[in-house]
Amino acid sequence: FRIGSREHKSGLIRRILAEHPGMALLLVGDTGQLDPEIYAAAAHEHPDRIRAIYVRRTGALNPRRATEVDTLAAATTAAGVPMLVVDDSVQIAEHAASLGLLDPAQVDDVRRETHPNGPPRVPWAVDVARSGSRIAHRLGRPDDSTSDHRSPL
């Protein structure tokens, strides 16, 4: 008899919440299996106990799966539990600090440990000029030569 990943992780989350009624959880997973679906379901069942969900993108994420996970993250966030799909631990640390879950001074520690040789170079263009407060990532060539296309830090 073998229990599946979904049942195992869902059961662990329920057990931790039952055994520690005063504790809230921060869930961290990846897009490789069913973590986004499992964690979104937990947030739906216990929105007052799940503080945030962070899902790291795995290397070979196909476009269909990426859309599914992004849609699920948007719906979960709209329902009241922040769910971010991220590329690295720095994004998690920055968001956790914004929620008061991590001392802001520790974000620099995470940044240094995650990128000891400086910020990573990314293979896509970033259009900062039209994005306002968010960075819009676009694959491929820029379609507007008037935009300021630079790699992010």
Side-chain angles (χ1 to χ4, degrees), residues 27-92:
L27 303 174
V28 180
D30 62 52
T31 58
Q33 294 183 2
L34 295 173
D35 290 352
E37 289 80 4
I38 294 165
Y39 295 168
H44 179 72
E45 292 173 21
H46 307 281
D48 56 327
R49 304 280 306 278
I50 308 297
R51 293 291 310 269
I53 301 168
Y54 300 112
V55 179
R56 290 179 58 114
R57 289 182 187 92
T58 56
L61 186 61
N62 72 53
R64 188 175 128 245
R65 177 68 175 150
T67 299
E68 290 171 353
V69 173
D70 288 342
T71 300
L72 183 61
T76 303
T77 299
V81 177
M83 180 172 176
L84 279 70
V85 183
V86 301
D87 295 310
D88 70 21
S89 299
V90 175
Q91 293 168 294
I92 294 171

